[in-house]
């Protein structure tokens, strides 16, 4: 158990809908990362937050957005869903931005199926 | 971040050491070598990281060549539960750097009885 929790574990929804994925980082971790893993693309970084502020963006679509709240939990919002958005979505957390002990701890993921 | 090259797949007998190689010939002086693994659609799991010295923890050992252009992850006594995709990632740890990990395709390690 990494200490990172994600809900829900599974989500099935229809095209055009909007969903919210939730992540609670490990206690004491200030950074939260979101990754997407699809069969054809592998693990892709989406976005990073550090202590409530957006820190880095990766291959995140405009239809997707995220935020990190004062209690440090994070939500990833996916809207106007398409079939191609079906994937595993992982959240990871780390103590800070850089330095020794920088390893990221990943949650169990949310499996999103768009039908 | 430097690119890495790993074999697509490897087999290992249960109880034997698994040696997973990684080439990172363009690594720069401030970049660390990280290893993660992913067991069948679970979240990736941190294994170990190092800069230039060899490192060991309860999970594995990391051997980095003197020129730092390649490294080897060693699982000393592989078990069936070590069957996973192993990712070698190179990145820096500077305070101003972005934190995201760039995953390649990794090495699919199959531990066989």
């Amino acid at each position: 158990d990494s200490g990172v929790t994600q809900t829900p574990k599974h989500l099935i929804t229809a095209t055009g809908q909007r969903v919210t994925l939730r992540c609670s980082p490990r206690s004491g971790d200030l950074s939260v990362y979101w990754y997407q893993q699809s069969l054809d693309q592998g693990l892709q970084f989406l976005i990073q937050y550090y202590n409530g502020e957006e820190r880095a963006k990766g291959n995140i679509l405009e239809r997707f957005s995220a935020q990190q709240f004062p209690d440090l939990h994070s939500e990833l919002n996916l809207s106007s869903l398409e079939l191609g958005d079906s994937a595993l979505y992982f959240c990871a957390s780390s103590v800070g931005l850089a330095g020794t002990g920088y390893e990221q701890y990943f949650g169990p993921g949310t499996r999103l199926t768009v039908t | 971040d430097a690119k890495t090259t790993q074999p697509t797949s490897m087999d290992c007998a249960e109880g034997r050491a698994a040696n997973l190689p990684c080439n990172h010939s363009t690594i720069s002086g401030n970049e660390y070598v990280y290893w993660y693994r992913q067991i069948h659609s679970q979240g990736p799991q941190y294994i170990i990281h190092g800069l230039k010295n060899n490192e060991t923890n309860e999970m594995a050992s990391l051997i980095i060549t003197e020129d730092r252009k390649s490294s080897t992850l060693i699982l000393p006594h592989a078990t069936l539960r070590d069957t996973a995709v192993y990712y070698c990632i190179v990145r820096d740890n500077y305070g101003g750097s972005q934190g995201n990990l760039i995953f390649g395709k990794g090495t699919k390690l199959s531990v066989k009885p």
Side-chain angles (χ1 to χ4, degrees):
Chain A
D1 183 358
S2 67
V4 178
T5 60
Q6 289 187 249
T7 56
K9 288 185 73 173
H10 302 277
L11 199 48
I12 301 174
T13 190
T15 55
Q17 295 297 305
R18 172 189 168 95
V19 297
T20 297
L21 312 184
R22 183 188 168 102
C23 167
S24 292
R26 292 188 321 153
S27 176
D29 284 0
L30 297 178
S31 276
V32 169
Y33 312 79
W34 286 97
Y35 293 83
Q36 178 193 56
Q37 186 173 35
S38 57
L39 278 174
D40 55 344
Q41 293 291 325
L43 269 159
Q44 301 265 312
F45 167 70
L46 295 178
I47 197 163
Q48 176 199 358
Y49 280 81
Y50 174 73
N51 204 19
E53 293 189 7
E54 182 184 302
R55 179 71 184 181
K57 264 187 174 180
N59 300 319
I60 188 166
L61 300 171
E62 286 193 11
R63 300 183 285 108
F64 296 180
S65 64
Q67 54 185 325
Q68 186 180 27
F69 295 86
D71 67 352
L72 300 176
H73 91 271
S74 177
E75 293 181 356
L76 179 67
N77 301 295
L78 315 176
S79 61
S80 303
L81 285 168
E82 302 174 359
L83 295 177
D85 298 327
S86 296
L88 273 167
Y89 291 84
F90 291 106
C91 167
S93 72
S94 67
V95 170
L97 282 171
T100 308
Y102 185 73
E103 51 269 27
Q104 294 181 23
Y105 294 88
F106 285 75
T110 293
R111 181 176 293 279
L112 173 66
T113 302
V114 182
T115 62
Chain B
D1 293 341
K3 289 189 176 178
T4 60
T5 304
Q6 300 178 251
T8 302
S9 64
M10 294 181 64
D11 289 342
C12 177
E14 189 177 19
R16 303 298 293 268
N19 298 291
L20 293 94
C22 179
N23 285 319
H24 30 80
S25 58
T26 60
I27 193 170
S28 60
N30 57 297
E31 289 182 314
Y32 285 68
V33 180
Y34 282 81
W35 283 85
Y36 283 76
R37 72 180 182 183
Q38 186 175 25
I39 299 171
H40 187 58
S41 296
Q42 296 180 20
Q45 178 188 24
Y46 166 79
I47 301 173
I48 199 167
H49 75 281
L51 182 62
K52 51 180 138 181
N53 298 321
N54 298 337
E55 303 286 346
T56 296
N57 63 20
E58 65 279 2
M59 287 184 68
S61 295
L62 174 61
I63 309 297
I64 302 174
T65 58
E66 196 166 336
D67 63 6
R68 302 206 328 119
K69 293 185 177 181
S70 66
S71 60
T72 301
L73 178 75
I74 301 172
L75 308 179
H77 305 286
T79 70
L80 299 179
R81 286 183 289 183
D82 292 321
T83 292
V85 178
Y86 287 76
Y87 297 98
C88 170
I89 299 166
V90 172
R91 68 170 314 284
D92 67 60
N93 269 5
Y94 280 173
S97 66
Q98 296 177 3
N100 54 288
L101 299 169
I102 299 174
F103 289 85
K105 296 190 184 302
T107 296
K108 170 81 169 114
L109 175 69
S110 298
V111 180
K112 300 181 183 299

